[in-house]
């Protein structure tokens, strides 16, 4: 029996996103960390452990489509938990605790991704990546024009 494969559309993309995100959020819940907080920690980590506060809030607002006050609250929550610190005005750094937490989250996320993407040919993943990048670009253009 053959199963028909649905064409790529918003629903298919959304279902894949929400299933993957739910798997990651189960890991995050163990440490009391939200998805938004994990994105903020990644933003700081990706910049070597210290970055501009504005860069983190921009990444949250642009990537997660949340408003600036929500992005600022996320940063404040991480600072209050001792996972981020402000070594200089307008700068954020991972604390040792933040670095340790993010490393464990990244490892768990990588393990989930390895299981989820296992056996999918590299050329299929590359094609999907190209399509999704184009969809993202066009959707962001729609948002900017609205």
């Amino acid at each position: 029996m053959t199963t028909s494969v649905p064409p790529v559309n918003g629903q298919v993309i959304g279902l894949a996103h929400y299933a993957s995100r739910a798997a990651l959020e189960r890991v995050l819940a163990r440490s009391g960390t939200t998805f938004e907080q994990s994105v903020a920690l990644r933003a700081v980590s990706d910049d070597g452990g210290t970055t501009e506060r504005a860069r983190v809030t921009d990444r949250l607002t642009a990537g997660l489509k949340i408003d600036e006050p929500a992005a600022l609250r996320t940063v404040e929550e991480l600072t209050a938990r001792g996972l981020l610190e402000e070594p200089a005005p307008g700068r954020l750094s991972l604390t040792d605790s933040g670095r340790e937490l993010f490393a464990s989250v990244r490892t768990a996320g990588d393990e989930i991704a390895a299981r989820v993407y296992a056996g999918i040919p590299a050329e299929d993943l590359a094609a999907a990546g190209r399509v999704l990048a184009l969809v993202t670009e066009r959707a962001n253009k729609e948002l900017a024009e609205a």
Side-chain angles (χ1 to χ4, degrees):
M1 170 190 253
T2 23
T3 305
S4 66
V5 178
V8 172
N9 60 32
Q11 181 180 15
V12 170
I13 294 167
L15 290 172
H17 163 75
Y18 287 120
S20 299
R21 182 171 167 172
L24 178 60
E25 285 183 338
R26 288 177 65 187
V27 170
L28 294 171
R30 289 185 225 140
S31 64
T33 306
T34 67
F35 182 74
E36 293 80 4
Q37 290 171 348
S38 74
V39 172
L41 291 172
R42 177 177 294 276
V44 180
S45 178
D46 286 352
D47 280 354
T50 300
T51 194
E52 298 295 323
R53 175 185 291 269
R55 190 162 160 82
V56 176
T57 57
D58 287 349
R59 187 146 164 198
L60 289 168
T61 58
L64 300 180
K65 309 301 184 230
I66 61 176
D67 62 19
E68 187 174 356
L72 292 171
R73 270 192 309 278
T74 298
V75 170
E76 290 166 11
E77 291 163 358
L78 290 168
T79 304
R81 288 182 61 193
L83 300 172
L84 290 178
E85 62 187 358
E86 192 171 3
R91 305 236 351 124
L92 294 170
S93 292
L94 290 169
T95 63
D96 289 341
S97 296
R99 199 172 269 103
E100 182 180 310
L101 173 65
F102 183 69
S104 70
V105 166
R106 175 175 268 173
T107 298
D110 289 347
E111 290 169 355
I112 291 167
R115 290 188 298 275
V116 168
Y117 295 110
I120 301 173
E123 57 273 6
D124 289 352
L125 292 172
R130 287 190 301 275
V131 169
L132 292 174
L134 183 57
V135 168
T136 301
E137 179 183 314
R138 290 178 179 178
N140 282 333
K141 184 178 178 188
E142 287 288 322
L143 284 169
E145 293 173 355

